[in-house]
Amino acid sequence: MDYLQGLNPEQKAAVLQTEGPVMIIAGAGSGKTRVITYRVAHLIQKGVDSFNILVLTFTNKAAREMRERINHLVGTEAKNIWMGTFHSVFAKLLRVEADKIGYPNNFTIYDTDDTKSVIRAILKEMNLDDKLYNQNFVYNRISAAKNNLISWQEYQNNEQIQADDFSSGRGLLGNIYENYVKRCFRAGAMDFDDLLFKTNELLKNHPEVLNKYQHKFKYLMVDEYQDTNFSQYLIVKRLAAVNENLCVVGDDAQSIYAFRGANIQNILNFEKDYPDLKVFKLEQNYRSTQNIVHVANSIIANNKDQLKKHVFSEKENGDKIKVMRAFSDNEEGKLVAEAIMFQRTTNGLKWHDFAILYRTNAQSRSMEEALRKAGIPYKIYGGLSFYQRKEIKDLIAYFRLTFNPNDEEALKRIINYPKRGIGNTTVDRIILAADKHNLTPFEIILQAPHYIDKAPASLSAFATMIQSFQVITKNQSAYESALHIAQHSGLLKDLYEDKSVEGLNRYENIQELLNGIKEFSEREDIEEKGLDVFMQDVALLTNDDKDKDPDADTVSLMTIHSSKGLEFPQVHVVGLEENLFPSQMSLNSRTDLEEERRLFYVAVTRAEHKLTISYATSRFKFGTLISCEPSRFLDEIDAQYLELDFTAKPATANNLSSFDDERNAWTRKSDTFSKPKIPSAPPKTTSILAKAHVPSPGFKPSDTSNLQVGMEVEHERFGFGKVLNLEGNKPDVKATIFFKEIGQKQLLLKFAKLSILSGNE
């Protein structure tokens, strides 16, 4: 019991409550991973068989970290726990039970690219307009249906769904869904959504299987429960129905994945499912300074839908949160780069101590440009991962086809790579013959002379090669099998002979993959080390596991969604502007706006010691410079925790830098804040973050018929500015004016009510 001594009272109580339904509400940085691991260790110390414990996470990285900690506490028993992501755990279960639902145990797992390739093929075969039936739209539609456990039959029979599809001109979506499911079934393949959809189907339609796993998994724990979708929720509810020893851990304030089906109501309504629920709140933040925690609390307090908690920190107060204003997105990047350089030099930090977080991937451009000019090394996360590179996918396709020759996507990918004289026309004839005779393409190839006129001899050679690989993998280790396939497929030779820089890089990537397989073959913490097991691990990698080097000394750039679960000593959150963050699409719905606010909360709570927030008053969008207003979220922060840095000057030919720095004149008190409203459109009033302008004594609009470029003017709301441009004909002349507090605006003169301060005749 010594390990319990390191827990605070609430953490300890949550660990000791092992029986019955439990909900642990874990604030940001509150040590939830420690609580989960100690709880598992405590169960084992009490005598619970590790085979009877199921722990579900959302990343393999989290599962590995937990298993390592549990192993440190209780020893080798940890390896017997069923622990991993929802997809990896239930892929493992389906490998055992797949025959019950008509699938082979060696089914292939399709990634997003594979899925979209199948959809493209179906759209082409059905001669559908790829603009109306965009592959991404179709993919998302099918994914959403599966996550809500709607089969293709139910999809086609649902009157509301059909009415929506026909009204949008997409009445054939149900047929596409049906064809997609049947195509995957024929190929012996499941996509990511199927791993949960088919598990639900299995547990629903096969009571003996449900009963087996209900009694096997006597204790269930679910991490990040706020991120579960309907399909995941139902699996957990079914498995826990007998023993009800279910512990869910999460934070409703960090529910940010509604766009991929997560339902915050799963955690908000958990008590309705389990009335005798025990609730524990982990409210002490061990990560961040007090000022950062206070800011986070003041932000999330504006959400109506939440489980109330009071997160606090006992660390030092720390620096106030700096808010920087830039006059353009490029200048914002420059300010961020300068701040990082200054902090690193002043405080002796490493580059990897800094992170730049943004709402959309497109915002990385101005940040990258500024960092490059400053000579600051950086890395963007969420880009093309190692396992998405063409040469890697090519070799893995050979592995996939070896274990599952029915895998049509793998077959099409490598049947003529390296080139062996099997062109697209031959491949199309193979696919057509397979459809006609209700066989798989590989079965057609095995008997090509019977089904295809003038079938090239290379088809038979290709089939023989794949069959030889199947023999090799039964007798050799994962590494030996992979090396043999890489060599004898011709892929390694083809890459080696390409002496271009790109060719050498691709060859080195294949070598790196083989090195990874060798390392996998030599691991002592796993029992099954076949190439098929390695392939499943690769197929189920989450974004958190791909292509990240924790030792690289670079500034991290990523979207806020990608940053969840991470922490950095210093964090810059950029682009806090209306219509960007919160996004324009979120402004018509309180529910969507609250999710945007939770996203801001996640961004703020990534910071350990210093947090900087920035926004620009103008930004290029689709090649046009637009005026921007500060985000409403900035108004929601308690002003006493902010330090405002409005010293940046616009560098323009119009001498706008002559404006005085009025940062110190910009003051406000927290009790002057108005509570946020939920408008149906973006607010038209200027944010309080731009200094509220008080019109000059005797302010009176001037006759603007003789207004000229370069004149200084005053607007009763926007303040003092300078005319940059005039366009149009009277009486509809438009003036582009740069106001020193809010940036550039375009006004129709006949309605502008401007007072001319200079050049007034």
PDB file of all heavy atoms in Angstrom, residues 28 71 86 90 127 153 241 253 278 286 361 420 513 575 577 597 642 679 694 738 761:
ATOM      1  N   ALA A  28      -7.782  19.551 -15.914  1.00  0.00           N
ATOM      2  CA  ALA A  28      -6.521  19.557 -16.654  1.00  0.00           C
ATOM      3  C   ALA A  28      -5.340  19.511 -15.691  1.00  0.00           C
ATOM      4  O   ALA A  28      -5.307  20.223 -14.691  1.00  0.00           O
ATOM      5  CB  ALA A  28      -6.434  20.813 -17.520  1.00  0.00           C
ATOM      6  N   ASN A  71       3.340  -1.873 -14.712  1.00  0.00           N
ATOM      7  CA  ASN A  71       4.403  -2.877 -14.654  1.00  0.00           C
ATOM      8  C   ASN A  71       5.416  -2.534 -13.566  1.00  0.00           C
ATOM      9  O   ASN A  71       5.915  -3.412 -12.852  1.00  0.00           O
ATOM     10  CB  ASN A  71       5.103  -2.972 -16.011  1.00  0.00           C
ATOM     11  CG  ASN A  71       6.091  -4.119 -16.074  1.00  0.00           C
ATOM     12  OD1 ASN A  71       5.717  -5.286 -16.023  1.00  0.00           O
ATOM     13  ND2 ASN A  71       7.376  -3.789 -16.177  1.00  0.00           N
ATOM     14  N   PHE A  86      -9.828   1.877 -28.049  1.00  0.00           N
ATOM     15  CA  PHE A  86     -11.052   1.159 -28.401  1.00  0.00           C
ATOM     16  C   PHE A  86     -10.822   0.311 -29.649  1.00  0.00           C
ATOM     17  O   PHE A  86     -11.204  -0.864 -29.697  1.00  0.00           O
ATOM     18  CB  PHE A  86     -12.191   2.154 -28.676  1.00  0.00           C
ATOM     19  CG  PHE A  86     -12.916   2.628 -27.447  1.00  0.00           C
ATOM     20  CD1 PHE A  86     -12.450   3.711 -26.719  1.00  0.00           C
ATOM     21  CD2 PHE A  86     -14.067   1.992 -27.020  1.00  0.00           C
ATOM     22  CE1 PHE A  86     -13.113   4.153 -25.595  1.00  0.00           C
ATOM     23  CE2 PHE A  86     -14.752   2.425 -25.898  1.00  0.00           C
ATOM     24  CZ  PHE A  86     -14.277   3.515 -25.170  1.00  0.00           C
ATOM     25  N   PHE A  90     -10.761  -3.888 -29.591  1.00  0.00           N
ATOM     26  CA  PHE A  90     -11.866  -4.611 -30.221  1.00  0.00           C
ATOM     27  C   PHE A  90     -11.459  -5.223 -31.566  1.00  0.00           C
ATOM     28  O   PHE A  90     -12.116  -6.152 -32.043  1.00  0.00           O
ATOM     29  CB  PHE A  90     -13.099  -3.719 -30.305  1.00  0.00           C
ATOM     30  CG  PHE A  90     -13.619  -3.379 -28.920  1.00  0.00           C
ATOM     31  CD1 PHE A  90     -13.595  -2.090 -28.439  1.00  0.00           C
ATOM     32  CD2 PHE A  90     -14.037  -4.386 -28.070  1.00  0.00           C
ATOM     33  CE1 PHE A  90     -14.020  -1.793 -27.157  1.00  0.00           C
ATOM     34  CE2 PHE A  90     -14.464  -4.108 -26.779  1.00  0.00           C
ATOM     35  CZ  PHE A  90     -14.455  -2.811 -26.320  1.00  0.00           C
ATOM     36  N   ASN A 127     -21.014   5.939 -62.258  1.00  0.00           N
ATOM     37  CA  ASN A 127     -21.065   7.117 -63.140  1.00  0.00           C
ATOM     38  C   ASN A 127     -21.696   8.325 -62.446  1.00  0.00           C
ATOM     39  O   ASN A 127     -22.545   9.026 -63.016  1.00  0.00           O
ATOM     40  CB  ASN A 127     -21.847   6.802 -64.426  1.00  0.00           C
ATOM     41  CG  ASN A 127     -21.126   5.787 -65.284  1.00  0.00           C
ATOM     42  OD1 ASN A 127     -19.920   5.891 -65.498  1.00  0.00           O
ATOM     43  ND2 ASN A 127     -21.861   4.794 -65.766  1.00  0.00           N
ATOM     44  N   GLN A 153     -28.868  -1.007 -44.485  1.00  0.00           N
ATOM     45  CA  GLN A 153     -30.295  -1.325 -44.610  1.00  0.00           C
ATOM     46  C   GLN A 153     -31.147  -0.279 -43.878  1.00  0.00           C
ATOM     47  O   GLN A 153     -32.156   0.213 -44.410  1.00  0.00           O
ATOM     48  CB  GLN A 153     -30.592  -2.713 -44.035  1.00  0.00           C
ATOM     49  CG  GLN A 153     -29.935  -3.855 -44.794  1.00  0.00           C
ATOM     50  CD  GLN A 153     -28.606  -4.268 -44.187  1.00  0.00           C
ATOM     51  OE1 GLN A 153     -27.932  -3.459 -43.554  1.00  0.00           O
ATOM     52  NE2 GLN A 153     -28.244  -5.544 -44.369  1.00  0.00           N
ATOM     53  N   ALA A 241     -22.677  -4.451 -18.070  1.00  0.00           N
ATOM     54  CA  ALA A 241     -24.039  -4.654 -17.568  1.00  0.00           C
ATOM     55  C   ALA A 241     -24.137  -5.678 -16.441  1.00  0.00           C
ATOM     56  O   ALA A 241     -25.000  -5.567 -15.575  1.00  0.00           O
ATOM     57  CB  ALA A 241     -24.954  -5.054 -18.729  1.00  0.00           C
ATOM     58  N   ALA A 253     -14.928  19.614 -19.681  1.00  0.00           N
ATOM     59  CA  ALA A 253     -14.369  20.878 -20.170  1.00  0.00           C
ATOM     60  C   ALA A 253     -13.383  20.663 -21.308  1.00  0.00           C
ATOM     61  O   ALA A 253     -12.950  21.618 -21.947  1.00  0.00           O
ATOM     62  CB  ALA A 253     -13.688  21.629 -19.026  1.00  0.00           C
ATOM     63  N   LYS A 278     -20.659   6.719  -7.733  1.00  0.00           N
ATOM     64  CA  LYS A 278     -19.754   7.447  -6.846  1.00  0.00           C
ATOM     65  C   LYS A 278     -18.944   8.415  -7.724  1.00  0.00           C
ATOM     66  O   LYS A 278     -18.369   8.008  -8.730  1.00  0.00           O
ATOM     67  CB  LYS A 278     -18.798   6.499  -6.122  1.00  0.00           C
ATOM     68  CG  LYS A 278     -19.491   5.476  -5.213  1.00  0.00           C
ATOM     69  CD  LYS A 278     -19.967   6.120  -3.925  1.00  0.00           C
ATOM     70  CE  LYS A 278     -20.342   5.072  -2.880  1.00  0.00           C
ATOM     71  NZ  LYS A 278     -21.334   4.084  -3.333  1.00  0.00           N
ATOM     72  N   TYR A 286      -1.543  20.176 -11.239  1.00  0.00           N
ATOM     73  CA  TYR A 286      -0.118  20.088 -10.916  1.00  0.00           C
ATOM     74  C   TYR A 286       0.756  20.596 -12.058  1.00  0.00           C
ATOM     75  O   TYR A 286       1.978  20.586 -11.944  1.00  0.00           O
ATOM     76  CB  TYR A 286       0.253  18.625 -10.617  1.00  0.00           C
ATOM     77  CG  TYR A 286      -0.376  18.086  -9.348  1.00  0.00           C
ATOM     78  CD1 TYR A 286      -1.590  17.400  -9.389  1.00  0.00           C
ATOM     79  CD2 TYR A 286       0.231  18.273  -8.111  1.00  0.00           C
ATOM     80  CE1 TYR A 286      -2.179  16.908  -8.237  1.00  0.00           C
ATOM     81  CE2 TYR A 286      -0.339  17.786  -6.953  1.00  0.00           C
ATOM     82  CZ  TYR A 286      -1.545  17.102  -7.012  1.00  0.00           C
ATOM     83  OH  TYR A 286      -2.123  16.623  -5.854  1.00  0.00           O
ATOM     84  N   ASN A 361      -5.106  24.517 -39.644  1.00  0.00           N
ATOM     85  CA  ASN A 361      -3.792  24.226 -40.223  1.00  0.00           C
ATOM     86  C   ASN A 361      -3.268  25.363 -41.093  1.00  0.00           C
ATOM     87  O   ASN A 361      -2.059  25.582 -41.176  1.00  0.00           O
ATOM     88  CB  ASN A 361      -3.855  22.940 -41.058  1.00  0.00           C
ATOM     89  CG  ASN A 361      -3.742  21.695 -40.201  1.00  0.00           C
ATOM     90  OD1 ASN A 361      -2.810  21.547 -39.421  1.00  0.00           O
ATOM     91  ND2 ASN A 361      -4.717  20.794 -40.330  1.00  0.00           N
ATOM     92  N   ARG A 420       5.453  -4.825 -63.941  1.00  0.00           N
ATOM     93  CA  ARG A 420       5.582  -6.213 -64.410  1.00  0.00           C
ATOM     94  C   ARG A 420       4.631  -6.470 -65.571  1.00  0.00           C
ATOM     95  O   ARG A 420       4.190  -7.604 -65.796  1.00  0.00           O
ATOM     96  CB  ARG A 420       5.329  -7.192 -63.258  1.00  0.00           C
ATOM     97  CG  ARG A 420       4.077  -6.922 -62.441  1.00  0.00           C
ATOM     98  CD  ARG A 420       3.875  -7.978 -61.350  1.00  0.00           C
ATOM     99  NE  ARG A 420       4.935  -7.981 -60.366  1.00  0.00           N
ATOM    100  CZ  ARG A 420       4.918  -7.269 -59.224  1.00  0.00           C
ATOM    101  NH1 ARG A 420       3.878  -6.495 -58.958  1.00  0.00           N
ATOM    102  NH2 ARG A 420       5.907  -7.330 -58.371  1.00  0.00           N
ATOM    103  N   LEU A 513      11.724   1.313 -41.906  1.00  0.00           N
ATOM    104  CA  LEU A 513      10.591   0.438 -41.616  1.00  0.00           C
ATOM    105  C   LEU A 513      11.074  -0.954 -41.222  1.00  0.00           C
ATOM    106  O   LEU A 513      10.603  -1.540 -40.240  1.00  0.00           O
ATOM    107  CB  LEU A 513       9.661   0.353 -42.831  1.00  0.00           C
ATOM    108  CG  LEU A 513       8.492  -0.638 -42.699  1.00  0.00           C
ATOM    109  CD1 LEU A 513       7.552  -0.234 -41.575  1.00  0.00           C
ATOM    110  CD2 LEU A 513       7.722  -0.758 -44.017  1.00  0.00           C
ATOM    111  N   GLY A 575      -4.056  33.717 -33.266  1.00  0.00           N
ATOM    112  CA  GLY A 575      -5.267  33.844 -34.082  1.00  0.00           C
ATOM    113  C   GLY A 575      -6.557  33.957 -33.302  1.00  0.00           C
ATOM    114  O   GLY A 575      -7.585  33.434 -33.738  1.00  0.00           O
ATOM    115  N   GLU A 577      -9.312  35.602 -33.040  1.00  0.00           N
ATOM    116  CA  GLU A 577     -10.136  36.573 -33.757  1.00  0.00           C
ATOM    117  C   GLU A 577     -11.515  35.991 -34.030  1.00  0.00           C
ATOM    118  O   GLU A 577     -11.670  34.786 -34.207  1.00  0.00           O
ATOM    119  CB  GLU A 577      -9.457  36.953 -35.084  1.00  0.00           C
ATOM    120  CG  GLU A 577      -8.097  37.605 -34.920  1.00  0.00           C
ATOM    121  CD  GLU A 577      -7.091  37.124 -35.963  1.00  0.00           C
ATOM    122  OE1 GLU A 577      -7.519  36.796 -37.092  1.00  0.00           O
ATOM    123  OE2 GLU A 577      -5.896  37.049 -35.637  1.00  0.00           O
ATOM    124  N   ARG A 597     -15.315  27.080 -27.062  1.00  0.00           N
ATOM    125  CA  ARG A 597     -14.769  27.591 -25.798  1.00  0.00           C
ATOM    126  C   ARG A 597     -13.987  26.499 -25.071  1.00  0.00           C
ATOM    127  O   ARG A 597     -12.949  26.763 -24.462  1.00  0.00           O
ATOM    128  CB  ARG A 597     -15.905  28.126 -24.920  1.00  0.00           C
ATOM    129  CG  ARG A 597     -15.413  28.891 -23.692  1.00  0.00           C
ATOM    130  CD  ARG A 597     -16.568  29.508 -22.916  1.00  0.00           C
ATOM    131  NE  ARG A 597     -17.142  30.644 -23.624  1.00  0.00           N
ATOM    132  CZ  ARG A 597     -18.360  30.668 -24.156  1.00  0.00           C
ATOM    133  NH1 ARG A 597     -19.138  29.580 -24.094  1.00  0.00           N
ATOM    134  NH2 ARG A 597     -18.806  31.736 -24.772  1.00  0.00           N
ATOM    135  N   LEU A 642      -4.244  39.475 -16.950  1.00  0.00           N
ATOM    136  CA  LEU A 642      -3.702  39.760 -18.278  1.00  0.00           C
ATOM    137  C   LEU A 642      -2.644  40.867 -18.255  1.00  0.00           C
ATOM    138  O   LEU A 642      -2.713  41.802 -17.459  1.00  0.00           O
ATOM    139  CB  LEU A 642      -4.825  40.183 -19.232  1.00  0.00           C
ATOM    140  CG  LEU A 642      -5.912  39.153 -19.528  1.00  0.00           C
ATOM    141  CD1 LEU A 642      -6.925  39.743 -20.496  1.00  0.00           C
ATOM    142  CD2 LEU A 642      -5.330  37.865 -20.072  1.00  0.00           C
ATOM    143  N   PRO A 679     -25.144  35.224 -30.430  1.00  0.00           N
ATOM    144  CA  PRO A 679     -25.823  35.832 -31.570  1.00  0.00           C
ATOM    145  C   PRO A 679     -26.015  34.838 -32.694  1.00  0.00           C
ATOM    146  O   PRO A 679     -25.349  33.813 -32.748  1.00  0.00           O
ATOM    147  CB  PRO A 679     -24.854  36.941 -32.004  1.00  0.00           C
ATOM    148  CG  PRO A 679     -23.511  36.390 -31.633  1.00  0.00           C
ATOM    149  CD  PRO A 679     -23.730  35.561 -30.384  1.00  0.00           C
ATOM    150  N   VAL A 694     -13.768  57.103 -26.737  1.00  0.00           N
ATOM    151  CA  VAL A 694     -14.649  58.166 -26.249  1.00  0.00           C
ATOM    152  C   VAL A 694     -14.505  59.340 -27.204  1.00  0.00           C
ATOM    153  O   VAL A 694     -13.400  59.889 -27.363  1.00  0.00           O
ATOM    154  CB  VAL A 694     -14.268  58.600 -24.819  1.00  0.00           C
ATOM    155  CG1 VAL A 694     -15.171  59.737 -24.363  1.00  0.00           C
ATOM    156  CG2 VAL A 694     -14.341  57.423 -23.871  1.00  0.00           C
ATOM    157  N   PHE A 738      -7.328  53.170 -41.833  1.00  0.00           N
ATOM    158  CA  PHE A 738      -6.641  52.396 -40.795  1.00  0.00           C
ATOM    159  C   PHE A 738      -6.851  53.114 -39.466  1.00  0.00           C
ATOM    160  O   PHE A 738      -6.352  54.221 -39.248  1.00  0.00           O
ATOM    161  CB  PHE A 738      -5.146  52.245 -41.087  1.00  0.00           C
ATOM    162  CG  PHE A 738      -4.512  51.180 -40.251  1.00  0.00           C
ATOM    163  CD1 PHE A 738      -4.289  49.918 -40.768  1.00  0.00           C
ATOM    164  CD2 PHE A 738      -4.169  51.417 -38.930  1.00  0.00           C
ATOM    165  CE1 PHE A 738      -3.741  48.916 -39.996  1.00  0.00           C
ATOM    166  CE2 PHE A 738      -3.619  50.428 -38.150  1.00  0.00           C
ATOM    167  CZ  PHE A 738      -3.401  49.168 -38.681  1.00  0.00           C
ATOM    168  N   GLU A 761     -10.887  71.764 -45.134  1.00  0.00           N
ATOM    169  CA  GLU A 761     -10.983  73.092 -45.708  1.00  0.00           C
ATOM    170  C   GLU A 761     -12.250  73.790 -45.219  1.00  0.00           C
ATOM    171  O   GLU A 761     -12.452  74.940 -45.515  1.00  0.00           O
ATOM    172  CB  GLU A 761     -10.970  73.007 -47.238  1.00  0.00           C
ATOM    173  CG  GLU A 761      -9.693  72.371 -47.775  1.00  0.00           C
ATOM    174  CD  GLU A 761      -9.712  72.206 -49.262  1.00  0.00           C
ATOM    175  OE1 GLU A 761     -10.740  72.543 -49.874  1.00  0.00           O
ATOM    176  OE2 GLU A 761      -8.702  71.731 -49.826  1.00  0.00           O
TER     177      GLU A 761
END
